[in-house]
């Protein structure tokens, strides 16, 4: 299809069609970042948050002499505040794989059949992995001198 026909069909300039044909990918709209009005006062906001991390955005606006709309200031304060807040004492603990396991001994409340007509209450080692929360358990055999066979009735 000729360039002129494409331009007429799409309703755009012939030069636009020529530029589009000269490149191997679709046009990309790029706009230069202008920045925000808050950029100029960000150091002052950071200083106030360093002193008092929970200071409301309205109080920050008063202290820095902010005379523009509060929405953009509140959004920036919302972005900056987490870096200055202390770690919450009830925050969730996170573990990497293989980093932590908890081991406990469990003593069954009732006799367990041990096979060959015997029963007893052997201790059980219970292991829980901190990352995957996998639980496993093993009976711990007692030493031969401590074994007290229980005769089946």
């Amino acid at each position: 299809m000729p360039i002129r026909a494409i331009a007429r069909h799409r309703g755009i300039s012939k030069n636009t069609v020529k530029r589009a044909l000269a490149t191997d990918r679709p046009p990309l709209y790029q706009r230069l970042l202008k920045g925000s009005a808050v950029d100029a006062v960000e150091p002052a906001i950071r200083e106030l948050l360093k002193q008092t991390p929970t200071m409301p955005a309205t109080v920050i606006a008063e202290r820095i002499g902010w005379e523009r709309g509060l929405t953009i200031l509140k959004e920036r304060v919302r972005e900056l505040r987490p870096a200055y807040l202390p770690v919450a004492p009830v925050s969730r603990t996170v573990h990497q794989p293989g980093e932590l396991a908890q081991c406990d001994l469990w003593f069954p409340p009732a006799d367990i059949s041990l096979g060959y007509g015997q029963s007893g209450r052997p201790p059980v080692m219970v292991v829980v992995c901190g990352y995957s929360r996998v639980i496993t358990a093993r009976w711990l055999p007692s030493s031969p001198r401590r074994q007290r066979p229980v005769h089946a009735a």
Side-chain angles (χ1 to χ4, degrees):
M1 200 177 208
I3 292 175
R4 183 181 283 174
I6 295 172
R8 198 173 331 128
H9 178 71
R10 303 294 295 170
I12 56 176
S13 165
K14 290 185 298 182
N15 290 336
T16 303
V17 175
K18 288 178 186 177
R19 276 196 311 271
L21 292 173
T23 183
D24 59 342
R25 53 192 162 123
L28 179 66
Y29 177 73
Q30 291 182 336
R31 181 185 225 172
L32 296 176
L33 296 175
K34 288 184 177 181
S36 172
V38 184
D39 291 343
V41 294
E42 185 174 318
I45 294 171
R46 287 181 180 275
E47 190 60 39
L48 289 171
L49 287 174
K50 192 183 300 180
Q51 295 169 6
T52 312
T54 58
M55 184 180 293
T58 52
V59 175
I60 291 173
E62 289 175 12
R63 300 242 175 121
I64 63 174
W66 186 255
E67 295 178 357
R68 295 174 175 255
L70 281 177
T71 303
I72 60 171
L73 180 71
K74 285 182 178 182
E75 288 173 357
R76 183 65 61 91
V77 170
R78 193 176 304 122
E79 291 172 10
L80 297 175
R81 188 184 310 277
Y84 297 96
L85 288 172
V87 177
V90 293
S91 65
R92 185 181 180 105
T93 304
V94 178
H95 299 287
Q96 298 302 314
E99 184 178 41
L100 178 82
Q102 179 176 343
C103 303
D104 290 311
L105 282 178
W106 174 61
F107 298 94
D111 285 349
I112 297 173
S113 173
L114 303 174
Y116 301 105
Q118 295 182 348
S119 64
R121 297 181 186 187
V124 179
M125 170 73 78
V126 180
V127 181
V128 182
C129 296
Y131 177 77
S132 62
R133 297 186 187 100
V134 170
I135 299 175
T136 187
R138 296 275 183 198
W139 285 353
L140 299 178
S142 58
S143 64
R145 66 188 171 124
R146 294 184 66 210
Q147 283 184 345
R148 293 187 196 123
V150 177
H151 300 286

